[in-house]
Amino acid sequence: MGDNILGAIDETIHAKARLGIMSLLTVHGECDFVFLRKELELTEGNLGNHIRVLEEAGYILVTKTFAGKRPKTTCTSTKLGMEMFQQYIEGLEKIIRMAQTGKKS
Amino acid sequence: MGDNILGAIDETIHAKARLGIMSLLTVHGECDFVFLRKELELTEGNLGNHIRVLEEAGYILVTKTFAGKRPKTTCTSTKLGMEMFQQYIEGLEKIIRMAQTGKKS
């Protein structure tokens, strides 16, 4: 799908879990793995897979540190990720407007 | 994922192609298969699969008629489909608001 109403819908972000991750990172700036897992009600493996997709696309930065002796994984959006998320949101808004007014804009 | 920010994101509609189909049906009321295929730039098989998912969920009604000697497949939203699409759009709006204002509402 190219230059159509869905053109701005980036599949890297659109998957429900990744939309959740990007939304939470936009709101909170930085989120750790445990917070994301609880907030999105995902299994560890599932969250890990989605984080990897976003990391490989360059949309998020994953940092592994320690909280005391416990490993802690935190995620933040990159500049590219923030831009792509903004574009994605604008694409959604266009679809919503179209669906509500019955016009392609 | 249950009662979280993604709770209102119905996977039956969320898949990019199905979001396109539901949007076009909302705008145009009734769409034939060829129009949907061209508008969404999908292959026949791919569009057929997505239409089947929506039909099986009871979100759209698929009617097979003839235009002269050529078979013609048309789709319309059902009442359920319209309601679910409206709920989906409201869920998206909530996520957009959250992402833009930094608050869960």
Side-chain angles (χ1 to χ4, degrees):
Chain A
M1 288 183 272
D3 184 27
N4 61 38
I5 52 161
L6 302 178
I9 302 303
D10 179 350
E11 297 271 20
T12 306
I13 296 175
H14 191 60
K16 194 167 160 174
R18 295 198 290 273
L19 173 55
I21 296 168
M22 292 304 292
S23 300
L24 290 171
L25 292 182
T26 301
V27 172
H28 298 284
E30 184 181 279
C31 298
D32 71 37
F33 194 89
V34 177
F35 172 80
L36 289 174
R37 196 162 55 71
K38 287 187 180 158
E39 197 73 10
L40 301 172
E41 296 172 38
L42 294 170
T43 63
E44 229 173 284
N46 202 349
L47 176 60
N49 288 336
H50 288 296
I51 281 181
R52 199 164 311 118
V53 171
L54 290 170
E55 189 183 18
E56 281 170 6
Y59 290 9
I60 67 170
L61 200 73
V62 180
T63 316
K64 289 173 197 292
T65 53
F66 281 86
K69 285 186 175 175
R70 294 180 143 242
K72 190 181 171 184
T73 303
T74 54
C75 304
T76 50
S77 277
T78 61
K79 191 163 175 288
L80 174 66
M82 284 182 229
E83 285 168 6
M84 297 311 277
F85 187 63
Q86 192 52 42
Q87 270 185 38
Y88 171 84
I89 292 290
E90 284 165 16
L92 285 190
E93 286 177 326
K94 209 177 275 186
I95 291 175
I96 291 173
R97 270 201 307 280
M98 190 190 90
Q100 283 173 340
T101 63
K103 280 177 200 155
K104 279 212 250 179
S105 61
Chain B
M1 287 183 272
D3 183 27
N4 60 39
I5 52 161
L6 302 178
I9 301 303
D10 179 350
E11 297 272 20
T12 305
I13 296 175
H14 191 60
K16 195 168 161 174
R18 296 199 290 274
L19 174 55
I21 296 168
M22 292 304 292
S23 300
L24 289 170
L25 292 182
T26 302
V27 172
H28 297 284
E30 184 181 278
C31 298
D32 71 37
F33 194 89
V34 177
F35 172 81
L36 288 174
R37 196 163 54 72
K38 287 186 180 160
E39 197 73 10
L40 300 172
E41 297 172 37
L42 293 170
T43 63
E44 229 173 284
N46 202 349
L47 176 59
N49 288 337
H50 288 297
I51 282 181
R52 200 165 309 120
V53 171
L54 291 169
E55 189 183 18
E56 281 171 6
Y59 289 9
I60 67 171
L61 199 73
V62 179
T63 316
K64 289 172 196 293
T65 54
F66 281 86
K69 286 188 176 174
R70 294 179 144 243
K72 190 181 169 181
T73 304
T74 54
C75 305
T76 49
S77 277
T78 61
K79 190 163 176 291
L80 174 67
M82 283 183 231
E83 285 169 6
M84 297 309 278
F85 187 63
Q86 191 52 42
Q87 270 186 38
Y88 171 84
I89 292 290
E90 283 165 16
L92 284 190
E93 286 177 326
K94 209 177 275 185
I95 291 176
I96 292 173
R97 269 201 307 279
M98 188 191 91
Q100 283 172 341
T101 63
K103 280 178 201 155
K104 279 213 253 181
S105 62

